[in-house]
mmCIF file of all heavy atoms in Angstrom:
data_model
loop_
_atom_site.group_PDB
_atom_site.id
_atom_site.type_symbol
_atom_site.label_atom_id
_atom_site.label_comp_id
_atom_site.label_asym_id
_atom_site.label_seq_id
_atom_site.Cartn_x
_atom_site.Cartn_y
_atom_site.Cartn_z
ATOM 1 N N ASP M 445 -20.834 27.416 45.295
ATOM 2 C CA ASP M 445 -20.691 28.567 46.257
ATOM 3 C C ASP M 445 -20.537 29.855 45.479
ATOM 4 O O ASP M 445 -20.049 29.860 44.358
ATOM 5 C CB ASP M 445 -19.497 28.380 47.148
ATOM 6 C CG ASP M 445 -19.591 27.059 47.925
ATOM 7 O OD1 ASP M 445 -20.684 26.718 48.314
ATOM 8 O OD2 ASP M 445 -18.537 26.362 48.089
ATOM 9 N N ALA M 446 -20.881 30.966 46.137
ATOM 10 C CA ALA M 446 -20.793 32.269 45.506
ATOM 11 C C ALA M 446 -19.337 32.542 45.087
ATOM 12 O O ALA M 446 -18.409 32.130 45.779
ATOM 13 C CB ALA M 446 -21.256 33.315 46.523
ATOM 14 N N VAL M 447 -19.207 33.195 43.938
ATOM 15 C CA VAL M 447 -17.880 33.588 43.450
ATOM 16 C C VAL M 447 -17.768 35.110 43.643
ATOM 17 O O VAL M 447 -18.593 35.846 43.072
ATOM 18 C CB VAL M 447 -17.706 33.193 41.977
ATOM 19 C CG1 VAL M 447 -16.338 33.648 41.469
ATOM 20 C CG2 VAL M 447 -17.939 31.674 41.817
ATOM 21 N N PRO M 448 -16.818 35.598 44.377
ATOM 22 C CA PRO M 448 -16.704 37.072 44.515
ATOM 23 C C PRO M 448 -16.362 37.775 43.241
ATOM 24 O O PRO M 448 -15.832 37.135 42.331
ATOM 25 C CB PRO M 448 -15.556 37.246 45.558
ATOM 26 C CG PRO M 448 -15.282 35.852 46.089
ATOM 27 C CD PRO M 448 -15.752 34.856 45.079
ATOM 28 N N ALA M 449 -16.645 39.050 43.187
ATOM 29 C CA ALA M 449 -16.343 39.845 41.981
ATOM 30 C C ALA M 449 -14.841 39.690 41.658
ATOM 31 O O ALA M 449 -13.986 39.643 42.575
ATOM 32 C CB ALA M 449 -16.676 41.294 42.254
ATOM 33 N N ASP M 450 -14.542 39.602 40.392
ATOM 34 C CA ASP M 450 -13.202 39.625 39.842
ATOM 35 C C ASP M 450 -12.349 38.380 40.303
ATOM 36 O O ASP M 450 -11.134 38.378 40.052
ATOM 37 C CB ASP M 450 -12.450 40.917 40.251
ATOM 38 C CG ASP M 450 -13.137 42.133 39.734
ATOM 39 O OD1 ASP M 450 -13.591 42.042 38.574
ATOM 40 O OD2 ASP M 450 -13.261 43.145 40.442
ATOM 41 N N ALA M 451 -12.946 37.374 40.910
ATOM 42 C CA ALA M 451 -12.221 36.180 41.310
ATOM 43 C C ALA M 451 -12.253 35.134 40.189
ATOM 44 O O ALA M 451 -12.973 35.263 39.228
ATOM 45 C CB ALA M 451 -12.878 35.582 42.557
ATOM 46 N N LEU M 452 -11.370 34.148 40.332
ATOM 47 C CA LEU M 452 -11.424 32.933 39.430
ATOM 48 C C LEU M 452 -11.911 31.827 40.306
ATOM 49 O O LEU M 452 -11.347 31.564 41.401
ATOM 50 C CB LEU M 452 -10.017 32.624 38.881
ATOM 51 C CG LEU M 452 -9.872 31.225 38.288
ATOM 52 C CD1 LEU M 452 -10.732 31.101 36.990
ATOM 53 C CD2 LEU M 452 -8.377 30.920 37.981
ATOM 54 N N ALA M 453 -12.906 31.108 39.804
ATOM 55 C CA ALA M 453 -13.393 29.888 40.535
ATOM 56 C C ALA M 453 -13.080 28.661 39.708
ATOM 57 O O ALA M 453 -13.367 28.613 38.557
ATOM 58 C CB ALA M 453 -14.895 30.039 40.799
ATOM 59 N N LEU M 454 -12.463 27.719 40.385
ATOM 60 C CA LEU M 454 -12.234 26.388 39.740
ATOM 61 C C LEU M 454 -12.965 25.383 40.590
ATOM 62 O O LEU M 454 -12.745 25.267 41.792
ATOM 63 C CB LEU M 454 -10.719 26.078 39.776
ATOM 64 C CG LEU M 454 -9.822 26.860 38.852
ATOM 65 C CD1 LEU M 454 -8.737 27.562 39.637
ATOM 66 C CD2 LEU M 454 -9.241 25.938 37.818
ATOM 67 N N GLY M 455 -13.784 24.576 40.001
ATOM 68 C CA GLY M 455 -14.515 23.612 40.775
ATOM 69 C C GLY M 455 -14.427 22.298 40.058
ATOM 70 O O GLY M 455 -15.427 21.719 39.552
ATOM 71 N N ARG M 456 -13.209 21.738 39.973
ATOM 72 C CA ARG M 456 -13.068 20.411 39.294
ATOM 73 C C ARG M 456 -11.807 19.799 39.829
ATOM 74 O O ARG M 456 -10.946 20.470 40.428
ATOM 75 C CB ARG M 456 -12.932 20.659 37.757
ATOM 76 C CG ARG M 456 -11.755 21.524 37.399
ATOM 77 C CD ARG M 456 -11.627 21.777 35.963
ATOM 78 N NE ARG M 456 -10.347 22.399 35.659
ATOM 79 C CZ ARG M 456 -10.140 23.310 34.752
ATOM 80 N NH1 ARG M 456 -11.164 23.748 33.985
ATOM 81 N NH2 ARG M 456 -8.967 23.784 34.527
ATOM 82 N N SER M 457 -11.645 18.473 39.603
ATOM 83 C CA SER M 457 -10.454 17.837 40.131
ATOM 84 C C SER M 457 -9.242 18.173 39.242
ATOM 85 O O SER M 457 -9.377 18.432 38.061
ATOM 86 C CB SER M 457 -10.620 16.302 40.186
ATOM 87 O OG SER M 457 -11.065 15.850 38.929
ATOM 88 N N ARG M 458 -8.069 18.157 39.883
ATOM 89 C CA ARG M 458 -6.872 18.562 39.176
ATOM 90 C C ARG M 458 -6.451 17.521 38.144
ATOM 91 O O ARG M 458 -6.660 16.335 38.349
ATOM 92 C CB ARG M 458 -5.751 18.731 40.180
ATOM 93 C CG ARG M 458 -4.476 19.375 39.660
ATOM 94 C CD ARG M 458 -3.547 19.662 40.768
ATOM 95 N NE ARG M 458 -3.876 20.915 41.450
ATOM 96 C CZ ARG M 458 -3.568 22.113 41.005
ATOM 97 N NH1 ARG M 458 -2.928 22.304 39.871
ATOM 98 N NH2 ARG M 458 -3.911 23.205 41.694
ATOM 99 N N GLN M 459 -5.908 17.959 37.088
ATOM 100 C CA GLN M 459 -5.530 17.001 36.011
ATOM 101 C C GLN M 459 -4.272 16.205 36.349
ATOM 102 O O GLN M 459 -3.348 16.747 36.982
ATOM 103 C CB GLN M 459 -5.254 17.812 34.730
ATOM 104 C CG GLN M 459 -4.946 17.025 33.496
ATOM 105 C CD GLN M 459 -4.882 17.934 32.268
ATOM 106 O OE1 GLN M 459 -5.609 18.907 32.246
ATOM 107 N NE2 GLN M 459 -4.087 17.578 31.333
ATOM 108 N N VAL M 460 -4.271 14.960 36.018
ATOM 109 C CA VAL M 460 -3.070 14.083 36.255
ATOM 110 C C VAL M 460 -2.455 13.766 34.937
ATOM 111 O O VAL M 460 -3.170 13.384 33.966
ATOM 112 C CB VAL M 460 -3.480 12.786 36.992
ATOM 113 C CG1 VAL M 460 -2.299 11.846 37.138
ATOM 114 C CG2 VAL M 460 -4.116 13.126 38.351
ATOM 115 N N VAL M 461 -1.118 13.873 34.766
ATOM 116 C CA VAL M 461 -0.479 13.550 33.505
ATOM 117 C C VAL M 461 0.544 12.411 33.748
ATOM 118 O O VAL M 461 1.368 12.518 34.664
ATOM 119 C CB VAL M 461 0.226 14.778 32.913
ATOM 120 C CG1 VAL M 461 1.037 14.398 31.649
ATOM 121 C CG2 VAL M 461 -0.762 15.901 32.600
ATOM 122 N N LYS M 462 0.439 11.339 32.983
ATOM 123 C CA LYS M 462 1.369 10.240 33.121
ATOM 124 C C LYS M 462 2.200 10.172 31.858
ATOM 125 O O LYS M 462 1.757 9.737 30.790
ATOM 126 C CB LYS M 462 0.625 8.917 33.332
ATOM 127 C CG LYS M 462 -0.158 8.930 34.662
ATOM 128 C CD LYS M 462 -0.751 7.549 34.973
ATOM 129 C CE LYS M 462 -1.447 7.618 36.328
ATOM 130 N NZ LYS M 462 -2.023 6.294 36.647
ATOM 131 N N GLU M 463 3.439 10.714 31.930
ATOM 132 C CA GLU M 463 4.316 10.779 30.747
ATOM 133 C C GLU M 463 4.500 9.448 30.143
ATOM 134 O O GLU M 463 4.775 8.468 30.847
ATOM 135 C CB GLU M 463 5.700 11.335 31.228
ATOM 136 C CG GLU M 463 5.670 12.791 31.694
ATOM 137 C CD GLU M 463 5.559 13.788 30.554
ATOM 138 O OE1 GLU M 463 5.575 13.404 29.361
ATOM 139 O OE2 GLU M 463 5.358 15.000 30.836
ATOM 140 N N GLY M 464 4.421 9.362 28.838
ATOM 141 C CA GLY M 464 4.763 8.133 28.059
ATOM 142 C C GLY M 464 3.743 6.990 28.220
ATOM 143 O O GLY M 464 3.932 5.924 27.556
ATOM 144 N N TRP M 465 2.730 7.184 28.948
ATOM 145 C CA TRP M 465 1.790 6.096 29.230
ATOM 146 C C TRP M 465 1.122 5.524 27.977
ATOM 147 O O TRP M 465 1.073 4.351 27.734
ATOM 148 C CB TRP M 465 0.681 6.625 30.197
ATOM 149 C CG TRP M 465 -0.300 5.545 30.621
ATOM 150 C CD1 TRP M 465 -0.241 4.810 31.736
ATOM 151 C CD2 TRP M 465 -1.521 5.187 29.934
ATOM 152 N NE1 TRP M 465 -1.352 3.924 31.778
ATOM 153 C CE2 TRP M 465 -2.100 4.194 30.682
ATOM 154 C CE3 TRP M 465 -2.150 5.603 28.749
ATOM 155 C CZ2 TRP M 465 -3.303 3.555 30.331
ATOM 156 C CZ3 TRP M 465 -3.311 4.988 28.377
ATOM 157 C CH2 TRP M 465 -3.876 4.026 29.166
ATOM 158 N N ALA M 466 0.714 6.403 27.107
ATOM 159 C CA ALA M 466 -0.025 6.014 25.903
ATOM 160 C C ALA M 466 0.869 5.216 24.981
ATOM 161 O O ALA M 466 0.465 4.204 24.368
ATOM 162 C CB ALA M 466 -0.596 7.224 25.203
ATOM 163 N N LYS M 467 2.109 5.678 24.843
ATOM 164 C CA LYS M 467 3.100 4.995 23.988
ATOM 165 C C LYS M 467 3.355 3.588 24.458
ATOM 166 O O LYS M 467 3.325 2.609 23.721
ATOM 167 C CB LYS M 467 4.369 5.809 23.938
ATOM 168 C CG LYS M 467 5.364 5.337 22.945
ATOM 169 C CD LYS M 467 6.376 6.490 22.596
ATOM 170 C CE LYS M 467 7.376 5.982 21.564
ATOM 171 N NZ LYS M 467 8.647 5.672 22.118
ATOM 172 N N ARG M 468 3.549 3.505 25.844
ATOM 173 C CA ARG M 468 3.859 2.179 26.404
ATOM 174 C C ARG M 468 2.688 1.239 26.159
ATOM 175 O O ARG M 468 2.860 0.079 25.797
ATOM 176 C CB ARG M 468 4.083 2.361 27.938
ATOM 177 C CG ARG M 468 5.445 2.907 28.262
ATOM 178 C CD ARG M 468 5.784 2.579 29.740
ATOM 179 N NE ARG M 468 4.813 3.181 30.691
ATOM 180 C CZ ARG M 468 4.839 4.452 31.036
ATOM 181 N NH1 ARG M 468 5.739 5.302 30.547
ATOM 182 N NH2 ARG M 468 3.942 4.909 31.894
ATOM 183 N N ARG M 469 1.487 1.729 26.264
ATOM 184 C CA ARG M 469 0.279 0.921 26.101
ATOM 185 C C ARG M 469 0.223 0.416 24.637
ATOM 186 O O ARG M 469 -0.061 -0.764 24.402
ATOM 187 C CB ARG M 469 -0.940 1.746 26.412
ATOM 188 C CG ARG M 469 -2.237 0.976 26.247
ATOM 189 C CD ARG M 469 -3.396 1.840 26.669
ATOM 190 N NE ARG M 469 -4.663 1.147 26.547
ATOM 191 C CZ ARG M 469 -5.318 1.098 25.382
ATOM 192 N NH1 ARG M 469 -4.901 1.716 24.332
ATOM 193 N NH2 ARG M 469 -6.452 0.440 25.364
ATOM 194 N N ARG M 470 0.481 1.342 23.725
ATOM 195 C CA ARG M 470 0.440 0.935 22.296
ATOM 196 C C ARG M 470 1.469 -0.127 22.024
ATOM 197 O O ARG M 470 1.110 -1.161 21.352
ATOM 198 C CB ARG M 470 0.801 2.183 21.437
ATOM 199 C CG ARG M 470 -0.406 2.854 20.924
ATOM 200 C CD ARG M 470 -0.090 3.880 19.791
ATOM 201 N NE ARG M 470 1.120 4.665 20.012
ATOM 202 C CZ ARG M 470 1.098 5.826 20.672
ATOM 203 N NH1 ARG M 470 0.009 6.297 21.205
ATOM 204 N NH2 ARG M 470 2.213 6.517 20.777
ATOM 205 N N GLU M 471 2.616 0.006 22.520
ATOM 206 C CA GLU M 471 3.648 -1.002 22.239
ATOM 207 C C GLU M 471 3.376 -2.346 22.901
ATOM 208 O O GLU M 471 3.548 -3.366 22.328
ATOM 209 C CB GLU M 471 5.039 -0.436 22.646
ATOM 210 C CG GLU M 471 5.501 0.601 21.639
ATOM 211 C CD GLU M 471 6.678 1.466 22.121
ATOM 212 O OE1 GLU M 471 7.035 1.341 23.325
ATOM 213 O OE2 GLU M 471 7.134 2.280 21.333
ATOM 214 N N GLY M 472 2.875 -2.245 24.090
ATOM 215 C CA GLY M 472 2.505 -3.474 24.850
ATOM 216 C C GLY M 472 1.404 -4.184 24.125
ATOM 217 O O GLY M 472 1.360 -5.401 24.026
ATOM 218 N N ALA M 473 0.436 -3.459 23.574
ATOM 219 C CA ALA M 473 -0.761 -4.028 23.000
ATOM 220 C C ALA M 473 -0.435 -4.805 21.734
ATOM 221 O O ALA M 473 -1.131 -5.752 21.390
ATOM 222 C CB ALA M 473 -1.745 -2.873 22.657
ATOM 223 N N LYS M 474 0.629 -4.446 20.985
ATOM 224 C CA LYS M 474 0.989 -5.129 19.759
ATOM 225 C C LYS M 474 1.191 -6.630 20.020
ATOM 226 O O LYS M 474 0.897 -7.444 19.153
ATOM 227 C CB LYS M 474 2.268 -4.571 19.203
ATOM 228 C CG LYS M 474 1.985 -3.445 18.191
ATOM 229 C CD LYS M 474 3.286 -3.026 17.523
ATOM 230 C CE LYS M 474 3.059 -1.649 16.939
ATOM 231 N NZ LYS M 474 4.329 -0.915 16.773
ATOM 232 N N ALA M 475 1.778 -6.984 21.154
ATOM 233 C CA ALA M 475 2.087 -8.348 21.478
ATOM 234 C C ALA M 475 0.812 -9.161 21.846
ATOM 235 O O ALA M 475 0.838 -10.372 21.854
ATOM 236 C CB ALA M 475 3.060 -8.437 22.636
ATOM 237 N N LEU M 476 -0.261 -8.449 22.142
ATOM 238 C CA LEU M 476 -1.471 -9.157 22.623
ATOM 239 C C LEU M 476 -2.285 -9.736 21.472
ATOM 240 O O LEU M 476 -2.258 -9.149 20.376
ATOM 241 C CB LEU M 476 -2.364 -8.130 23.390
ATOM 242 C CG LEU M 476 -1.752 -7.565 24.702
ATOM 243 C CD1 LEU M 476 -2.667 -6.478 25.209
ATOM 244 C CD2 LEU M 476 -1.641 -8.702 25.756
ATOM 245 N N PRO M 477 -2.992 -10.873 21.708
ATOM 246 C CA PRO M 477 -3.835 -11.375 20.648
ATOM 247 C C PRO M 477 -5.053 -10.397 20.400
ATOM 248 O O PRO M 477 -5.388 -9.565 21.262
ATOM 249 C CB PRO M 477 -4.394 -12.710 21.215
ATOM 250 C CG PRO M 477 -4.153 -12.620 22.685
ATOM 251 C CD PRO M 477 -3.030 -11.688 22.922
#
Side-chain angles (χ1 to χ4, degrees):
D445 301 324
V447 179
D450 300 320
L452 165 67
L454 288 122
R456 61 183 190 214
S457 53
R458 191 171 280 278
Q459 183 171 329
V460 175
V461 175
K462 297 188 176 180
E463 294 286 353
W465 183 93
K467 189 161 180 257
R468 284 197 300 280
R469 181 175 179 275
R470 263 194 318 274
E471 285 165 355
K474 268 188 198 155
L476 295 171

